[in-house]
Amino acid sequence: MSLKIEKLVYGGYGFSKDNEKIYLIDDGYPEEVVEVDEIKRKKKTIFAKVNSIKERSPYRINSKCEHFQKCGGCQWLDYDYKHQLTSKTNIVEEQLKRIGKLDIKVNDIIASDFVYNYRAKMEFGFSYNNEVILGLKKKSSNEIVDLKSCPISPKEFDELRNKVKIIVNKLNIQVYNSKNKKGILRSLVLRKNNINNKIMMILVTSKENFNKKEELKNELLKLNISSLIHLVNPNNKVILSGKYNVWYGNEFLEEKFNGIKYKVLPTSFFQNNYNVTQKMLDYVNEYLNTQNTNNKSLLDLYCGVGLFGLYFSKKFKNIKGIEVSKTSINSAKENAKLNNIKNIDFDALDAIKFLKNSKSYDYLIIDPPRAGIGIEGVELISRKIREGVVYISCDPSTFARDLSEFEKLGFKIKSVQPFDMFPNTYHIENISILEKIK
Ligand SMILES: C[S@@+](CC[C@H](N)C(=O)[O-])C[C@H]1O[C@@H](n2cnc3c(N)ncnc32)[C@H](O)[C@@H]1O
């Protein structure tokens, strides 16, 4: 059966409707007529994959990646960037309507100046296929695609990843197997900073000690990196968790935005696209400039190593940063000292637990993981925040649910601004400015 794709929807799928049935189609683009293979059904929704293209979308381009469609990292590498942007703005507007029942004009998405090589951090997984391989997971699978190159990560990462692969094969070090819990090598994480292109390499193994460890360390030290960290993570799925040893160089990477310095430890979160992060900081700054905040307090919830709180510290009388990771909070405290910022303090706590017992604040900047803050969290915020909320989100669905709750509990949504933090993928970052109705 031939289907015409109307638009792209949340999750990156091409959307098509046939009578009562809705098709969510992998690898199909707007205006395209395709034949599909069904993958699975969920009530009236059929998930399918393009089998053949009958009429090609005018926005389909040739992808620059030899691994495209095998690797799960990017979904839209063969979709013209201008149209990626339009699709993303439309998806946010649609999620707000569908999930949040919010009829809001969403601002046009702010693009990334760099569509390739923009990522500051990549987590590559080790696997075995006749030899040790190193790359990213296939889409909806734990299988690893052996990468030779990756167009969205820095060019240096390709060379390092390929060299590490040769080294571990030469030393014959076993890959960790999550089923029988045997083996050593789990992941190779690479991070690049935005001040002077320093690269931190983090080798994640299942055990602290293993055969040929010293030889491996000596070989890795010959590579062009600024620091080498050995992280021991026996079986936690969150790869960047566990104890680490510094094998070489600094324990941290130093980042800088507009004069504010941040030391980021190997296991701490930091924004992944520096160019777009600066645009997000500028957007929040513009809003705060319209407010009279000098004598006001700010709560920076899910603060990481203090990116937002420290950046805006001069605008507020006092600031509190809350974050669940003790490591990140230790960095955040050190970052305050590093920048000589004295009106901020940080605590390592769960955001909801903190809100239940906290005092009130004038303003809130909130940047939760994909799950969002949730209904209970918004209810607590509505009692604890007196003036404005800057909600930063990396998932349009939980964002829509939470914004709708904010509106029910006495906040006015002043703006919704998407940012293209992750070009060539379907991921969308958003900032909403909300004001308490007095
Ligand atoms: C999207 S990151 C934002 C970090 C920071 N705002 C930044 O821009 O660098 C989300 C942060 O929330 C933290 N986090 C996750 N679950 C949490 C919880 N239940 N309570 C507090 N923080 C949490 C994570 O450790 C992570 O640092």
Side-chain angles (χ1 to χ4, degrees), residues 267-271 277 280 300-308 322-325 328 349-352 365-370 392 394 429:
T267 53
S268 287
F269 174 92
F270 206 68
Q271 301 288 349
T277 301
M280 287 170 46
D300 180 4
L301 210 49
Y302 301 90
C303 67
V305 301
L307 176 68
F308 291 99
I322 297 294
E323 151 73 47
V324 81
S325 153
S328 295
L349 285 169
D350 168 75
I352 300 284
I365 295 181
I366 175 172
D367 183 14
R370 283 206 189 138
I392 301 153
C394 53
E429 196 84 8

